[in-house]
Amino acid sequence: MGNIRFLVLLGALALAQIVAATTSGAAITFKQCIQLEVPVPVVATNQNYSMPRVDSNIDAIDWTVNVTTRSTTPHIFNSVNINNTFTISAQLCVPSQKGPKADVLQIATHGLGFDKIYWDVEINPEEYSYVDAAVKKGYSILTYDRLGTGKSQRPDAYTVVQIPTEVEILAGLTKLARSGKLINSSKASGTSSRTISDFRPSKVVQVGHSFGSYLIALLLSRHVEISDGAILTGFLVTKLPTINVLHYDHEFAREHDPVRFGQYPSGYFVLNTKSCLQKLFLRKGAFEPEMLDYTEKIKQPEAVGEYASEGSNPPSPAVGFKGPIQFFNGEFDNYICIGDCRGALDEDTVKLLFPNTTVYTYLQPNTGHALTMATNASAGYQVMLNFLDEKGL
Ligand SMILES: *[C@@H]1O[C@H](CO)[C@@H](O)[C@H](O)[C@H]1NC(C)=O
Ligand SMILES: *[C@@H]1O[C@H](CO)[C@@H](O)[C@H](O)[C@H]1NC(C)=O
Ligand SMILES: *[C@@H]1O[C@H](CO)[C@@H](O)[C@H](O)[C@H]1NC(C)=O
Ligand SMILES: *[C@@H]1O[C@H](CO)[C@@H](O)[C@H](O)[C@H]1NC(C)=O
Ligand SMILES: *[C@@H]1O[C@H](CO)[C@@H](O)[C@H](O)[C@H]1NC(C)=O
Ligand SMILES: *[C@@H]1O[C@H](CO)[C@@H](O)[C@H](O)[C@H]1NC(C)=O
């Protein structure tokens, strides 16, 4: 499995308001949403990796050069046992009019570079918000800020914010939701109606973007039994070489923007420029200039431990996972396919990784890595949602 490329990345801040179905003048809205601070207990084994510390913009570039230096070999000092409860910021939305699909909960995990707003783009939401598209189709959907982003907790960027811990956070959220205790065990803001406080899904579909999809692939192999299907976006199993961090630059989050990111400690960095965001996420002709400004406005820091932990957490077969899986990607995704995903799928490796189910693939025409920010986003959402519907979810 050594040269399997599990290529991934980046994914989105929740300013969304509680949308209550009120009759006071305004029309009844199609969704009810609640903002949650969820305490998620986690037991996981991280590693203490050797790497330079990042406490300035100069350090951020030095980190990039150091980790890509041809003679650098990964070194682990010791294992780090995580046994903590992390506070995770989440949003649950359910349809106001409950149909048969309202009991199917989609749990959406964003990638690196954004927080949960990735799924809930505020510009022209009827075109761009995946949350709205899913709820209008009758689904319930939970979005959350991964550890270290948005309004979730920002623990040590070196030894805590790593892949094993993030996979267990997703597992923990999924189990809480399934048990019907998600809302009761969380601090909820705004008023919650009965519809939502009693919410207990019968099925769970994992939806990911990039690094979020990577976490889901690991979740399906480590916790086979807790998901009923998955849509992995911005993620493809290929034999292509990786676009490594030499292709894009970060700055130390706190120095980059002390107003927005003043709370981020050592080891958190952020993509430096709008040009860099365009290169990684957007394809000319398939995004509105306003959207590029928006990506810059909503971009979020990443933790160095997320990069460091990729090497020791390779994808492993999801033996026994039988739910339907769709790989949904932009045709011209620069990050995962070096600009062109046509013909890039490595079908043999897909069969090894998902031996007990069928993986369906779809390339969304003329689209880059950030599928929710492309002008044709809403047509793509229909492809994803129809896939679930056809598979009985
Ligand atoms: C990681 O290793 C360094 C170097 O040995 C050590 O100083 C540090 O305390 C270790 N951190 C953890 C969390 O184990
Ligand atoms: C990379 O950083 C590590 C940890 O700080 C250091 O030990 C190593 O010498 C650096 N490598 C290079 C080539 O500078
Ligand atoms: C985690 O911590 C709790 C309480 O401190 C303890 O009861 C439990 O045994 C620990 N679990 C592991 C796997 O270390
Ligand atoms: C959540 O708490 C409320 C009030 O304490 C209770 O009425 C309800 O049954 C609880 N729901 C679940 C699923 O435990
Ligand atoms: C999964 O697929 C493998 C390889 O085809 C097969 O040996 C195994 O029996 C299957 N397991 C289940 C639970 O279906
Ligand atoms: C928009 O996406 C849909 C669904 O993938 C596709 O059928 C259509 O051709 C796309 N339109 C353009 C202009 O790319």
Side-chain angles (χ1 to χ4, degrees), residues 243-289:
I243 293 220
N244 69 23
V245 289
L246 266 185
H247 290 84
Y248 48 99
D249 289 330
H250 289 98
E251 290 186 349
F252 180 48
R254 206 163 66 201
E255 185 175 338
H256 175 77
D257 189 337
V259 175
R260 280 171 69 192
F261 305 133
Q263 308 288 323
Y264 283 83
S266 179
Y268 284 93
F269 52 21
V270 64
L271 293 169
N272 61 341
T273 61
K274 237 163 52 172
S275 304
C276 171
L277 293 164
Q278 180 188 335
K279 189 203 279 182
L280 287 173
F281 293 114
L282 301 169
R283 172 171 171 84
K284 189 184 170 200
F287 71 87
E288 296 173 284

Side-chain angles (χ1 to χ4, degrees), residues 50-53 62 65-67 69 71-72:
S50 163
M51 67 182 127
R53 291 187 66 86
D62 177 63
V65 173
N66 180 288
V67 301
T69 291
S71 54
T72 296

